[in-house]
């Protein structure tokens, strides 16, 4: 294992999150390493960064292709809160990525957020977030790993949702380390906002940059696809959907969003 030294440490007051970044040439998954470190007592603010991953994971059991040239990192946090209250940390990460990416690209590029925590550039996915956690015996959060992938110079071609990279969108001079640092700077700021003002402030920032709010969307769930109007977010970040066929608002806590004109690949239901 190729662990290097600290590359970033920020924070000038008691509430500030101080980051300590560990660099690896290759890991199975930075989220797995963050979990292993958490279980051995690593501190909140530990950042696990790998140049490549051999078993990178996306949401909903998908794999995350992890060639050298993109950002793969996990921020280990130990917020003192119940599990549900930690869910908005994925919005903290998505907003931080969007702000970092927005600063790097030509101003005509439109950076948007897609529920639950994808970052899009002109409608194509450039980044995803995978939140994983462990709880203590009373059900409170012991640790959270905020896993972030940012496509800097590669992106997968055959995905359900179109993808892109920063380089494909016009980033001319780039270094993975600089992209990571910019993301971490924004992450620290937004984590502080979450701690100080609470999740509503982060949700509001997310909604300001979100795509599809008030519009017709399809949400592919495990066993069905729902269609309706995306009317907002619940307190813990679930998508609120007003079904097209009428009836009560549906609360969707996990799924993939598609917009009209896109073909949502059919839900695969196992046959027993
Ligand atoms: C998604 O959009 O499906 C989430 C993708 C998250 C990928 C990142 S890369 C760093 C961290 N390690 C992983 O194995 N996954 C996350």
């Amino acid at each position: 294992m190729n662990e290097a030294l600290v590359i970033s440490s920020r924070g000038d007051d008691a509430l500030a999150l101080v980051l300590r970044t560990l660099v690896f040439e290759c890991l199975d998954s930075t989220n797995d390493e963050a979990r292993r470190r958490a279980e051995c007592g690593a501190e909140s603010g530990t950042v696990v960064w790998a140049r490549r991953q051999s078993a990178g994971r996306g949401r909903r059991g998908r794999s995350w292709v992890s060639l050298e040239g993109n950002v793969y990192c996990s921020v280990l946090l130990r917020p003192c809160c119940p599990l549900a209250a930690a869910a908005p940390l994925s919005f903290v990460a998505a907003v931080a990525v969007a702000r970092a990416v927005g600063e790097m690209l030509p101003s005509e590029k439109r950076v948007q957020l897609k529920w639950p925590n994808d970052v899009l550039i002109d409608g194509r996915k450039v980044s995803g977030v995978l939140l994983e956690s462990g709880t203590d015996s009373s059900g409170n959060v012991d640790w959270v790993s905020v896993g972030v992938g940012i496509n800097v110079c590669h992106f997968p071609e055959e995905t359900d949702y179109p993808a892109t990279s920063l380089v494909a969108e016009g980033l001319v001079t780039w270094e993975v380390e600089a992209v990571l640092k910019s993301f971490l700077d924004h992450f620290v700021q937004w984590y502080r906002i979450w701690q100080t003002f609470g999740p509503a402030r982060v949700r509001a920032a997310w909604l300001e940059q979100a795509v599809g709010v008030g519009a017709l969307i399809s949400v592919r769930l495990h066993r069905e696809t729902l269609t309706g109007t995306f009317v907002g977010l619940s307190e813990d970040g679930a998508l609120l959907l007003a079904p097209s066929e009428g009836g009560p608002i549906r609360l969707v806590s996990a799924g993939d969003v598609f917009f009209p004109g896109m073909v949502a690949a059919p839900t695969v239901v196992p046959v027993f």
Side-chain angles (χ1 to χ4, degrees), residues 28-32 48 50 53 55-66 71-74 116-119 125 127-132 145-150 256:
D28 44 1
S29 153
T30 57
N31 266 25
D32 287 342
V48 176
Q53 298 182 118
R57 293 198 301 278
R59 289 190 313 111
R60 312 187 79 207
R62 287 184 284 251
S63 66
W64 187 262
V65 177
S66 304
V71 168
Y72 313 107
C73 74
S74 300
N117 37 46
D118 293 349
V119 181
K125 175 167 172 171
S127 170
V129 178
L130 179 67
L131 208 70
E132 293 178 331
S145 166
V146 184
V148 175
I150 307 173
D256 292 312

Side-chain angles (χ1 to χ4, degrees), residues 2-43:
N2 216 339
E3 184 178 324
L5 62 163
V6 176
I7 61 155
S8 54
S9 178
R10 306 180 176 75
D12 47 18
D13 62 50
L15 251 192
L17 179 67
V18 176
L19 301 182
R20 176 171 179 271
T21 302
L22 306 171
V23 190
F24 297 81
E25 204 45 48
C26 185
L27 283 173
D28 44 1
S29 153
T30 57
N31 266 25
D32 287 342
E33 183 64 20
R35 175 184 44 77
R36 290 189 286 265
R37 299 242 161 199
E39 289 170 357
C40 293
E43 277 179 288

Side-chain angles (χ1 to χ4, degrees), residues 59-62 87 91 115-117 130 218-226 234 236-241 250-258 267:
R59 289 190 313 111
R60 312 187 79 207
R62 287 184 284 251
F91 293 137
W115 189 87
N117 37 46
L130 179 67
S218 296
V219 193
R220 194 175 68 198
L221 312 182
H222 183 51
R223 288 171 181 273
E224 57 178 332
T225 297
L226 305 175
S234 73
D236 54 7
L239 182 150
L240 302 176
L241 189 82
R250 297 275 303 252
L251 209 76
V252 182
S253 43
D256 292 312
V257 169
F258 294 87
T267 307

Side-chain angles (χ1 to χ4, degrees), residues 58-159:
R59 289 190 313 111
R60 312 187 79 207
R62 287 184 284 251
S63 66
W64 187 262
V65 177
S66 304
L67 306 173
E68 183 156 355
N70 291 343
V71 168
Y72 313 107
C73 74
S74 300
V75 184
L76 175 66
L77 299 166
R78 294 188 184 274
C80 299
C81 63
L83 193 55
L89 287 172
S90 65
F91 293 137
V92 170
V95 169
V97 172
R99 299 295 161 102
V101 162
E103 284 172 4
M104 287 172 219
L105 290 177
S107 57
E108 67 274 14
K109 292 287 175 186
R110 203 162 36 128
V111 179
Q112 289 178 302
L113 295 160
K114 174 174 164 289
W115 189 87
N117 37 46
D118 293 349
V119 181
L120 309 181
I121 303 173
D122 288 344
R124 295 174 163 269
K125 175 167 172 171
V126 73
S127 170
V129 178
L130 179 67
L131 208 70
E132 293 178 331
S133 55
T135 49
D136 62 21
S137 50
S138 43
N140 283 327
V141 174
D142 180 21
W143 57 268
V144 177
S145 166
V146 184
V148 175
I150 307 173
N151 299 337
V152 181
C153 70
H154 309 287
F155 63 91
E157 297 283 350
E158 285 179 11
T159 44

